[in-house]
């Protein structure tokens, strides 16, 4: 997947930025255009300019009330997002909804899709269609497997223009426009930060007329507002900023019952003296609660989204947010973007947002919807440090309380007093919940961060649930959470009963790890006694009437600085230790310098992936019979920002540790295929267990081979020292690639514990003797005997043998004595870039 985001200025600037990117202008791509406060004729010019430069693209978009680009907000810019895929088919279309029911619109969309399997879809609606909410409900019934994202087109209320949508050059304000991704292997992330808290009992909308609300609780809707909010006079505003600053109704959304926090905002129509909703309607008998927009809830939900998004692949992160949200949340609007600044988050402000919420698509109002997509293993790591300054969100709560107090002074009623009381209670509850884990009720890492300002924590014990993955896979997330909740309660009650201490606090790190933190006033002996008691009683946790149990590992950490960070590092470092009780401070692990080296290599890896500085080098393989180099092995190298070249031994272990290996390998394979397709020279490509087991890589290989006219010059070298958990996967892969004429070699043969039967079943074309054996055959009789046996095995299996690490003439003479067919090593050839091979 390739992508480019930019703020459109003119055709020349657009073309220059495209030329500097890797986007191929002649291949299909999806271009999403978000225009801010722009007229239709000017939008048409931009669309024509884009289409002239990207003639094969699908162009869709809408007008907006502003855009976000790389974490910053703009009221008068136009955002362009270009996406180009290898294996994903793109679908798009436009449907005029005039004189059609919601069901008819969805049916027409289904017909346009023509049974194509679409996984996710951007979905934009002209601002005049009040049946959009019903349309989303019908969509969920008819197309339940497609995740929607998008919303109602936005614009500036004061200029009188009607918000519009468009596909290619067709611009219309009475239509639905969509663009979908057809690829089952795509990773889709979708989430919503709603941030609305209920503060009232349940009310009912009794009578409606289109968008207008006529009666609530059998009372005229406007009169109900006077009573509920203490509003002396309702006024209509025609500017978003005025609405945010002055419209009392915008402070209190209606939270719909049964929709997990989804809300609607009220609008006063002065001409008709009626209440309505913005750009949508609700049916009679709709149940709701009065709510308010809670800044602390906003931060809590943002923190939870950060945790979820870091666990799944995302290449591009986009958000559809509400224009209300930008205006009335003030400094909290920044919190939704700040953790993702490193990911260059972009987005658009809509009049209503569409996204995924609790297993179905929803039409939101006043919400920020996140949408991420990836066709490879790329992860976004949010910046959690932004959550340290939580005091910044309090001012918004204070403003809301002051607003209600002001209104009460104008019209005090019992209902109004209840509203204020519940508002104050709910605000305090929200602030408390911000620091609590919703499953266990224990303090979370935000609570720990807040507590350490008062308590100087210098010791910690992490309790890691060893069989977490097994339990979740067997029981499911919900039942596992039930066990975790019970376990946390047992531990907490036990320790409080044994020895209460205000300087020892209990927290939860994640679903698999709890931790205790002790202050500096607590003697280490006392803290260790706490831990010993826990270990004695909770090394395993059993449950009444439940066969499952939790198996726990206890890791003690001492550190005056970066205590939690040291604890997280200890979890990783102690994985291989065969004990359930570890004092990390008494074990020699990686030095600070080695950790810094690891971080530096990780930075180099990320640079190489993002900048595409993964470089194939090639080493010649000498044909001992024909006395020439007629084969090559491809060897991976990466280059850093300064042009320094790194060898696999410097980065491969870290690449696998941080799940970057498959991305390196796939790009390496792509480049070798492109360089040697149709070549007369045989080329070997190394494949590991990761490559063959990882579907994205193996599927790419099969697809690429199927597109080539001749694949006979390619050899896949399987690393013999990496055992396969599922031999059937390997056998199937070998069967599939051999259909295209590809040869198979066993690499590094002779080290590890060779399974000769497995090797025989693989029926390789080549066996490569590991270099550690070859380089020592002149001075180690055991190595010579091993070499002789491998050569004998090759003859028995009718497999050609390649000797690696042939570094001088004496080793080559010994290789020739044993009639080994091929030699590889510095004596004949050093690894070199393709440009230095001078292949004809």
């Amino acid at each position: 997947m390739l992508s480019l985001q930019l703020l459109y200025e003119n055709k020349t600037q657009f073309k220059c930025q495209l030329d500097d990117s890797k986007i191929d202008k002649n291949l299909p791509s999806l271009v999403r255009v978000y225009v801010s406060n722009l007229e239709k004729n000017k939008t048409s010019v931009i669309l024509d300019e884009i289409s002239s430069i990207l003639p094969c693209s699908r162009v869709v978009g809408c007008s907006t009330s502003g855009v976000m680009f790389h974490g910053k907000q703009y009221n008068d810019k136009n955002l362009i997002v270009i996406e180009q895929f290898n294996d994903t088919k793109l679908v798009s279309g436009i449907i005029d909804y005039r004189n059609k029911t919601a069901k008819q619109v969805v049916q027409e969309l289904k017909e346009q899709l023509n049974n194509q399997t679409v996984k996710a879809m951007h979905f934009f609606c002209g601002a005049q269609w009040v049946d959009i909410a019903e349309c989303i409900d019908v969509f969920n019934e008819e197309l339940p497997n497609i995740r929607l994202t998008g919303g109602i087109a936005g614009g500036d209320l004061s200029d009188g223009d009607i918000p519009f949508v468009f596909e290619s050059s067709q611009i219309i304000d009475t239509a639905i426009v969509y663009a979908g991704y057809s690829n089952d292997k795509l990773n889709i992330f979708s989430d919503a930060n709603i941030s609305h808290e209920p503060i009232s009992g349940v009310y009912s909308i009794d009578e409606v007329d289109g968008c207008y609300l006529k009666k609530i609780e059998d009372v005229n809707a406007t009169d109900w507002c006077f009573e509920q909010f203490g509003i002396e006079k309702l006024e209509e505003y025609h500017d978003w900023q005025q609405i945010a600053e002055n419209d009392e109704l915008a402070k209190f959304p209606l939270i719909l019952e049964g929709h997990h926090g989804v809300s609607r905002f009220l609008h006063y129509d002065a001409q008709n003296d009626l209440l309505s909703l913005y750009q949508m309607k609700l049916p009679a008998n709709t149940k709701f609660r009065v709510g308010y927009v809670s800044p602390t809830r906003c931060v809590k939900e943002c923190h939870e989204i950060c945790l979820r998004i870091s666990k799944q692949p995302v290449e591009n992160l986009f958000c559809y947010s509400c224009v209300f949200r930008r205006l009335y949340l003030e400094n909290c609007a920044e919190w939704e973007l700040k953790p993702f600044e490193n990911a260059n988050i972009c987005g658009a402000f809509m009049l209503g947002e569409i996204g995924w919420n609790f297993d179905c698509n929803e039409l939101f109002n006043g919400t920020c919807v996140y949408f991420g997509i990836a066709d490879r293993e790329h992860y976004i790591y949010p910046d959690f440090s932004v959550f340290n300054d939580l005091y910044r969100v309090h001012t918004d709560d204070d403003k809301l309380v002051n607003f209600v107090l002001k209104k009460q002074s104008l019209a005090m009623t019992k209902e109004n007093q209840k509203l204020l009381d519940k508002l104050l209670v709910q605000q305090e509850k929200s602030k408390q919940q911000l620091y609590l884990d919703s499953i266990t009720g224990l303090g979370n890492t935000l609570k720990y961060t807040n507590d350490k300002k008062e308590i100087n924590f210098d010791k910690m014990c992490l309790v890691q649930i060893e069989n977490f993955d097994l339990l979740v896979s067997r029981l499911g997330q919900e039942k596992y959470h039930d066990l975790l909740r019970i376990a946390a309660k047992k531990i907490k009650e036990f320790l409080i009963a044994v020895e209460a201490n205000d300087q020892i606090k209990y927290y939860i790190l994640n679903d698999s790890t709890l931790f205790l933190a002790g202050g500096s006033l607590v003697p280490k002996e006392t803290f260790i006694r706490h831990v010993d008691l826990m270990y004695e009683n909770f090394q395993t946790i059993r449950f009444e009437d439940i066969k499952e149990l939790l198996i726990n590992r206890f890791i003690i950490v001492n550190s005056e600085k970066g205590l939690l960070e040291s604890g997280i590092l200890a979890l990783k470092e102690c994985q291989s230790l065969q004990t359930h009780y570890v004092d990390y401070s008494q074990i020699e692990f990686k030095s600070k310098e080695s950790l810094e080296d690891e971080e530096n290599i990780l930075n180099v890896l990320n640079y190489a992936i993002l900048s595409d500085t993964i470089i194939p080098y090639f080493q010649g393989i000498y044909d001992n019979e024909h006395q020439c180099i007629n084969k090559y092995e491809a060897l991976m190298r990466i280059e850093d920002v300064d042009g320094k070249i790194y060898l696999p031994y410097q980065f491969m272990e870290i690449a696998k540790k941080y799940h970057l290996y498959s991305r390196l390998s796939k790009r390496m394979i792509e480049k070798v295929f492109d360089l040697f397709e149709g070549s007369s020279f045989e080329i070997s490509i190394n494949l590991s267990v990761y490559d063959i087991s990882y579907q994205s890589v193996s599927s790419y290989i099969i697809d690429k081979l199927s597109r080539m006219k001749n694949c006979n010059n390619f050899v896949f070298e399987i690393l013999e020292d990496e055992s396969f958990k599922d031999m059937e996967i390997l056998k199937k892969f070998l069967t599939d690639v051999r259909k295209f004429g590809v040869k198979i070699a066993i690499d590094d043969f002779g080290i590890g514990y060779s399974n000769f039967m497995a090797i025989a079943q693989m029926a390789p074309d080549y066996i490569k003797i590991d270099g550690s054996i070859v380089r020592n055959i002149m001075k180690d009789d055991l190595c010579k005997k091993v070499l002789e046996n491998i050569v004998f095995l090759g003859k028995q299996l009718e497999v050609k043998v390649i000797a690696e690490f042939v570094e001088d003439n004496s080793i080559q003479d010994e290789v020739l004595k044993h009639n080994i067919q091929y030699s590889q090593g510095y004596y004949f050839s050093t690894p070199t870039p393709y440009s230095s091979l001078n292949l004809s």
Side-chain angles (χ1 to χ4, degrees):
M1 175 183 178
L2 298 175
S3 65
L4 175 66
Q5 303 90 30
L6 57 93
L7 295 177
Y8 192 92
E9 296 176 11
N10 53 58
K11 184 176 181 179
T12 302
Q13 167 258 356
F14 180 64
K15 188 175 184 304
C16 287
Q17 288 196 244
L18 264 179
D19 290 339
D20 291 339
S21 73
K22 297 172 184 176
I23 299 290
D24 189 330
K25 293 191 283 289
N26 297 312
L27 291 179
S29 58
L30 175 61
V31 182
R32 306 198 316 270
V33 182
Y34 304 92
V35 298
S36 300
N37 303 322
L38 204 61
E39 300 171 3
K40 288 183 181 178
N41 59 343
K42 293 181 180 178
T43 300
S44 180
V45 172
I46 292 178
L47 298 181
D48 289 342
E49 291 173 349
I50 292 174
S51 296
S52 67
I53 297 172
L54 294 169
C56 300
S57 63
R58 294 176 179 268
V59 184
V60 299
C62 64
S63 61
T64 72
S65 302
V67 299
M68 292 162 264
F69 179 69
H70 292 183
K72 295 182 179 179
Q73 302 174 6
Y74 300 90
N75 297 328
D76 56 354
K77 301 288 186 181
N78 305 307
L79 174 65
I80 313 293
V81 180
I82 306 171
E83 296 170 334
Q84 199 166 74
F85 301 87
N86 288 326
D87 303 317
T88 300
K89 293 181 181 179
L90 302 169
V91 296
S92 64
I94 188 167
I95 301 169
D96 193 328
Y97 55 62
R98 285 177 293 185
N99 302 317
K100 295 175 185 173
T101 65
K103 192 170 186 66
Q104 287 172 331
V105 169
V106 174
Q107 190 59 42
E108 188 172 338
L109 191 154
K110 283 183 69 176
E111 291 171 1
Q112 290 187 13
L113 292 180
N114 194 25
N115 294 321
Q116 294 184 75
T117 302
V118 175
K119 194 163 188 179
M121 180 182 289
H122 294 272
F123 195 89
F124 310 122
C125 176
Q128 301 300 302
W129 197 36
V130 296
D131 291 326
I132 178 62
E134 184 182 351
C135 177
I136 301 303
D137 290 340
V138 175
F139 192 100
N140 286 329
E141 295 173 4
E142 298 290 332
L143 298 162
N145 297 320
I146 300 178
R147 294 198 175 194
L148 295 179
T149 188
I152 300 173
D156 189 346
L157 288 180
S158 59
D159 62 15
D161 288 339
I162 298 175
F164 52 86
V165 298
F166 46 82
E167 185 202 28
S168 297
S169 59
Q170 189 175 0
I171 304 174
I172 187 170
D173 49 35
T174 58
I176 292 286
V177 164
Y178 66 88
Y181 307 95
S182 180
N183 181 357
D184 284 340
K185 297 175 184 177
L186 276 182
N187 292 291
I188 303 296
F189 175 84
S190 51
D191 217 325
N193 189 336
I194 299 176
S195 311
H196 298 167
E197 290 277 13
I199 53 173
S200 77
V202 178
Y203 298 108
S204 176
I205 298 173
D206 299 316
E207 186 179 337
V208 299
D209 182 8
C211 285
Y212 292 109
L213 309 183
K214 302 294 288 292
K215 287 188 176 183
I216 299 174
E217 292 294 303
D218 208 27
V219 175
N220 179 280
T222 52
D223 292 340
W224 181 86
C225 279
F226 293 141
E227 177 75 12
Q228 182 72 21
F229 302 129
I231 297 173
E232 189 175 54
K233 181 181 179 182
L234 286 170
E235 294 186 28
E236 184 175 16
Y237 300 91
H238 299 280
D239 175 86
W240 290 122
Q241 191 65 46
Q242 289 181 0
I243 291 172
E245 293 175 356
N246 303 310
D247 192 348
E248 291 91 341
L249 296 177
K251 311 295 182 184
F252 299 100
L254 309 184
I255 301 178
L256 306 183
E257 284 288 281
H259 287 263
H260 304 285
V262 174
S263 301
R264 297 288 183 262
F265 283 84
L266 291 173
H267 168 69
Y268 177 64
D269 184 336
Q271 183 176 351
N272 296 298
D273 189 29
L274 289 172
L275 290 179
S276 69
L277 303 175
Y278 286 94
Q279 316 296 335
M280 56 192 74
K281 66 181 181 181
L282 288 171
N285 300 316
T286 296
K287 305 295 182 184
F288 70 91
R289 297 174 186 264
V290 175
Y292 78 105
V293 182
S294 167
T296 48
R297 179 66 178 266
C298 173
V299 177
K300 178 178 173 61
E301 289 189 10
C302 186
H303 185 264
E304 292 172 350
I305 288 170
C306 287
L307 292 173
R308 288 192 289 268
I309 202 171
S310 63
K311 296 177 181 179
Q312 70 178 84
V314 173
E315 291 184 72
N316 288 335
L317 185 61
F318 199 85
C319 68
Y320 293 100
S321 192
C322 183
V323 62
F324 275 138
R325 204 171 181 88
R326 183 186 69 192
L327 297 171
Y328 62 52
L329 271 179
E330 296 187 4
N331 62 47
C332 280
E334 299 176 14
W335 286 80
E336 298 176 293
L337 304 180
K338 240 180 184 5
F340 307 108
E341 280 185 348
N342 294 334
N344 293 328
I345 188 171
C346 295
F349 290 104
M350 316 295 283
L351 296 189
E353 311 76 55
I354 297 171
W356 191 258
N357 189 44
F358 285 86
D359 299 326
C360 70
N361 297 298
E362 286 275 13
L363 175 65
F364 299 93
N365 212 191
T367 296
C368 183
V369 172
Y370 296 90
F371 178 79
I373 189 169
D375 64 0
R376 58 191 175 124
E377 219 175 359
H378 177 275
Y379 291 84
I380 288 175
Y381 298 102
D383 179 7
F384 286 92
S385 67
V386 302
F387 296 100
N388 293 336
D389 300 329
L390 295 178
Y391 65 87
R392 293 178 57 201
V393 306
H394 295 168
T395 55
D396 292 7
D397 279 348
D398 296 339
K399 282 185 179 182
L400 194 57
V401 173
N402 290 335
F403 165 80
V404 178
L405 287 170
K406 178 182 175 183
K407 293 307 169 186
Q408 280 193 315
S409 68
L410 298 175
M412 176 62 71
T413 67
K414 289 183 179 180
E415 280 298 314
N416 192 251
Q417 180 63 55
K418 289 180 182 178
L419 180 66
L420 176 62
D421 292 342
K422 289 180 179 178
L423 173 60
L424 294 172
V425 170
Q426 190 62 46
Q427 283 183 336
E428 185 59 35
K429 182 180 177 182
S430 293
K431 290 176 183 178
Q432 292 298 321
Q433 288 178 343
L434 179 64
Y435 298 103
L436 296 178
D437 175 64
S438 59
I439 304 300
T440 62
L442 294 178
N444 55 23
T445 53
L446 295 180
K447 173 66 171 168
Y448 167 80
T449 302
N450 191 61
D451 287 348
K452 74 179 181 181
K453 295 174 184 177
E454 299 179 9
I455 304 174
N456 181 27
F457 292 127
D458 65 352
K459 54 188 76 73
M460 177 179 290
C461 177
L462 297 101
V463 182
Q464 185 180 39
I465 300 170
E466 294 271 84
N467 56 335
F468 158 73
D469 291 334
L470 179 62
L471 289 172
V472 172
S473 63
R474 278 175 32 77
L475 303 176
Q477 195 76 36
E478 188 173 339
K479 289 185 178 179
Y480 171 77
H481 281 165
D482 290 339
L483 296 185
L484 184 62
R485 188 181 298 110
I486 297 169
K489 183 179 179 182
K490 284 186 175 207
I491 293 173
K492 189 174 181 179
E493 289 176 349
F494 175 80
L495 289 175
I496 290 175
V498 171
E499 183 178 2
N501 193 316
D502 292 338
Q503 288 277 306
I504 298 178
K505 302 291 184 180
Y506 311 93
Y507 305 95
I508 184 165
L509 179 64
N510 52 43
D511 273 3
S512 64
T513 311
L514 312 175
F515 66 97
L516 284 73
S520 57
L521 298 180
V522 179
K524 185 177 180 180
E525 295 76 15
T526 302
F527 186 76
I528 293 295
R529 185 166 65 249
H530 249 71
V531 174
D532 288 344
L533 285 170
M534 286 183 63
Y535 182 73
E536 289 173 12
N537 289 275
F538 299 109
Q539 181 185 352
T540 59
I541 301 178
R542 300 180 182 277
F543 305 92
E544 294 180 8
D545 302 323
I546 302 176
K547 294 181 179 179
E548 308 297 341
L549 56 83
L550 302 185
I551 302 172
N552 304 311
R553 167 178 287 200
F554 291 72
I555 302 173
I556 299 173
V557 179
N558 296 293
S559 176
E560 293 183 1
K561 293 183 179 180
L563 183 60
L564 182 57
E565 292 78 6
S566 299
I568 293 171
L569 176 63
L571 289 175
K572 295 182 180 180
E573 293 278 354
C574 297
Q575 286 298 320
S576 60
L577 296 181
Q578 297 300 306
T579 177
H580 285 85
Y581 189 101
V582 181
D583 189 337
Y584 185 70
S585 61
Q586 297 178 4
I587 301 176
E588 289 290 333
F589 285 111
K590 290 183 179 178
S591 66
K592 182 178 179 182
E593 290 74 19
S594 65
L595 290 174
E596 289 176 353
D597 290 342
E598 182 173 314
E599 184 175 1
N600 290 335
I601 292 297
L602 186 58
N603 290 334
V604 171
L605 284 165
N606 280 313
Y607 173 81
I609 291 169
L610 294 173
S611 304
D612 196 22
T613 56
I614 301 159
I615 306 170
Y617 272 46
F618 301 92
Q619 185 176 33
I621 300 174
Y622 187 78
D623 186 327
N624 289 321
E625 179 182 353
H626 298 93
Q627 299 183 3
C628 66
I629 291 176
N630 54 18
K631 307 178 190 300
Y632 290 89
E633 179 183 359
L635 304 166
M636 186 188 299
R637 304 287 187 266
I638 61 174
E639 183 180 357
D640 68 11
V641 66
D642 298 318
K644 180 181 176 181
I645 300 297
Y646 292 77
L647 277 66
Y649 80 87
Q650 295 173 289
F651 62 81
M652 196 58 74
E653 181 181 347
I654 295 171
K656 291 177 180 178
K657 179 178 178 180
Y658 291 97
H659 311 294
L660 298 174
Y661 171 80
S662 60
R663 296 175 63 187
L664 295 173
S665 184
K666 186 176 179 182
R667 187 64 183 130
M668 172 73 178
I669 295 167
E670 288 174 348
K671 290 187 174 183
V672 176
F673 274 148
D674 291 342
L675 289 172
F676 277 84
E677 182 177 357
S679 172
S680 60
F681 289 89
E682 199 167 85
I683 180 71
S684 295
I685 301 174
N686 291 297
L687 295 182
S688 73
V689 58
Y690 297 94
D691 298 311
I692 297 171
S693 300
Y694 189 56
Q695 191 174 24
S696 174
V697 178
S698 60
S699 296
Y700 165 76
I701 291 172
I702 300 298
D703 182 66
K704 183 68 175 178
L705 293 174
S706 68
R707 298 169 188 262
M708 293 183 189
K709 293 182 179 179
N710 191 338
C711 311
N712 293 337
N713 62 316
F714 288 103
V715 179
F716 290 146
E717 293 190 16
I718 312 299
L719 298 180
E720 190 269 335
D721 66 326
E722 296 193 57
S723 60
F724 281 84
K725 293 181 180 178
D726 190 343
M727 195 66 184
E728 293 304 314
I729 293 177
L730 174 59
K731 289 179 180 179
K732 183 180 186 306
F733 176 81
L734 297 181
T735 300
D736 290 341
V737 298
R738 277 195 165 111
K739 293 176 183 176
F740 302 102
V742 171
K743 299 181 182 69
I744 302 300
I746 304 300
D747 196 14
D748 295 338
F749 189 79
I751 63 172
Y753 299 93
S754 302
N755 185 331
F756 290 102
M757 182 58 70
I759 298 302
Q761 290 176 345
M762 290 166 64
D765 300 279
Y766 302 100
I767 291 175
K768 299 187 76 172
I769 307 175
D770 183 70
S772 63
I773 298 171
V774 176
R775 68 180 1 160
N776 291 309
I777 55 175
M778 302 301 296
K779 53 187 176 183
D780 190 326
D781 288 339
L782 180 60
C783 286
K784 184 178 290 188
K785 290 179 180 178
V786 172
L787 182 141
E788 291 171 351
N789 278 281
I790 294 174
V791 172
F792 175 77
L793 176 66
K795 289 179 180 179
Q796 295 299 309
L797 298 177
E798 298 182 354
V799 175
K800 294 179 180 178
V801 178
I802 303 172
E804 294 186 292
F805 281 70
V806 178
E807 297 175 338
D808 54 39
N809 185 58
S810 62
I811 295 177
Q812 174 63 5
D813 286 343
E814 193 68 26
V815 167
L816 293 175
K817 285 180 184 177
H818 288 85
N819 296 316
I820 295 174
Q821 292 93 339
Y822 298 96
S823 299
Q824 180 179 351
Y826 280 16
Y827 181 63
F828 297 101
S829 171
T830 58
T832 185
Y834 184 81
S835 58
S836 302
L837 294 180
N838 298 318
L839 299 180
S840 57

